[in-house]
Amino acid sequence: MKIGFIGLGIMGKPMAKNYIEAGHEVYLNDINESAVQELVSLGGIKSTIEELAKNAEYVITSLPNGEIVKAVIYSGQDALTTQPEVNTKYIIDTSSLTPNEALEIYKKLDGTGIKYFDAPVSGGEPLAISGELSVMIGCDEDAIEDVKIVLDPIANSVIRVGDVGAGSVVKLANQIIVNTNISALSEAVILAKTFDINLEEMFEAIRGGLAGSAVMEAKFPKMIEENYQPGGTININYKDLKNVTSTADTVNLTLPVVNMIKEIYKSEIANNHGGNDHSGVIKYFENINNM
């Protein structure tokens, strides 16, 4: 396959690398020159947007927010769909957007011959590296089998959850669960530390019970080691939580827990911890307890 990849950040770079290692022709575009060059050394092809639109049948985007996605696809000065020759047939958008942004992009591309897939991912950097991401897709029902084949190098779960917009809703629901669990885990660790509990033994004792979860497996060891190198940053997750609350506001939905978690993340960003892994939100709980 000829794959165009736009966005080579924490998630995008390992995803693009998996396509290269699977033997696909991968056209790379990002403002981060070092990320591009790292993948070029592995066999990727550095490309302008014009070159990417001409050569890549499938384009995957992994970008920070909806405005950047729209600029890259159709509204910017160097947008994908405004190039002299566009052979792209699928845009698979793995960015985390609001449902309204995904629908706006879908409607803008209607009639262009390009299929848009609202396809956010879950699993963080570790599963992006291993190629075992979960992808929640909003798309036309007749297109899901084709996109599953395209996503095979990066995912072990590709589920259609509805039409375009539904993928983003499910991703926001996912982020509520993940970030609330991390905050609850933080409080549990703070309690255990106060009573001098051995955290490794605590982890083993509770991981197989009802409290056990993928979040615990990924984040408890980082809290034990106090290693907050990012797999998913507080900044990124705060952006997702803002998308949750803004989306809820459009339908007058009250979500008190997620609003509280969002404010905790905001506090950590104000304290210059936004670049930490989101397990590092435990620092908020340490701070308010003078630990």
Side-chain angles (χ1 to χ4, degrees), residues 188-189 192-193 197-204 220 223-224:
V189 171
K193 281 184 172 182
I197 300 298
N198 182 294
L199 295 181
E200 288 88 353
E201 291 175 355
M202 173 178 165
F203 182 34
E204 292 301 323
F220 203 161
M223 291 178 181
I224 292 171

Side-chain angles (χ1 to χ4, degrees), residues 50-64:
E50 181 178 355
E51 292 166 339
L52 192 146
K54 180 180 178 180
N55 291 295
E57 183 177 4
Y58 309 101
V59 171
I60 298 172
T61 53
S62 178
L63 295 164

Side-chain angles (χ1 to χ4, degrees), residues 93-119:
D93 186 9
T94 67
S95 317
S96 294
L97 312 182
T98 67
N100 284 341
E101 287 171 328
L103 282 168
E104 179 183 340
I105 296 167
Y106 175 74
K107 290 174 182 177
K108 189 73 175 180
L109 293 176
D110 188 33
T112 66
I114 299 174
K115 290 184 177 180
Y116 175 74
F117 295 84
D118 165 32

Side-chain angles (χ1 to χ4, degrees), residues 16 38 51 70 105 107 111 122-123 142 150 158 191 261 280:
E38 180 182 338
E51 292 166 339
K70 287 184 279 185
I105 296 167
K107 290 174 182 177
S122 181
D142 61 357
V150 179
V158 179
L191 176 68
I261 302 301

Side-chain angles (χ1 to χ4, degrees), residues 205-240:
I206 65 177
R207 67 193 298 193
L210 193 58
S213 67
V215 170
M216 179 181 286
E217 293 296 320
K219 301 305 178 182
F220 203 161
K222 294 180 79 70
M223 291 178 181
I224 292 171
E225 296 169 11
E226 298 184 351
N227 169 19
Y228 305 122
Q229 290 298 309
T233 66
I234 289 173
N235 284 328
I236 290 171
N237 282 270
Y238 175 62
K239 181 264 297 181
D240 289 344

Side-chain angles (χ1 to χ4, degrees), residues 70-141:
K70 287 184 279 185
V72 164
I73 293 176
Y74 61 81
S75 68
Q77 290 183 337
D78 190 27
L80 180 76
T81 57
T82 60
Q83 299 307 307
E85 184 177 352
V86 180
N87 292 312
T88 300
K89 302 302 181 187
Y90 285 35
I91 294 176
I92 303 169
D93 186 9
T94 67
S95 317
S96 294
L97 312 182
T98 67
N100 284 341
E101 287 171 328
L103 282 168
E104 179 183 340
I105 296 167
Y106 175 74
K107 290 174 182 177
K108 189 73 175 180
L109 293 176
D110 188 33
T112 66
I114 299 174
K115 290 184 177 180
Y116 175 74
F117 295 84
D118 165 32
V121 300
S122 181
E125 185 184 27
L127 296 191
I129 291 170
S130 67
E132 298 176 297
L133 291 167
S134 295
V135 190
M136 49 218 81
I137 295 187
C139 68
D140 297 336
E141 192 169 2

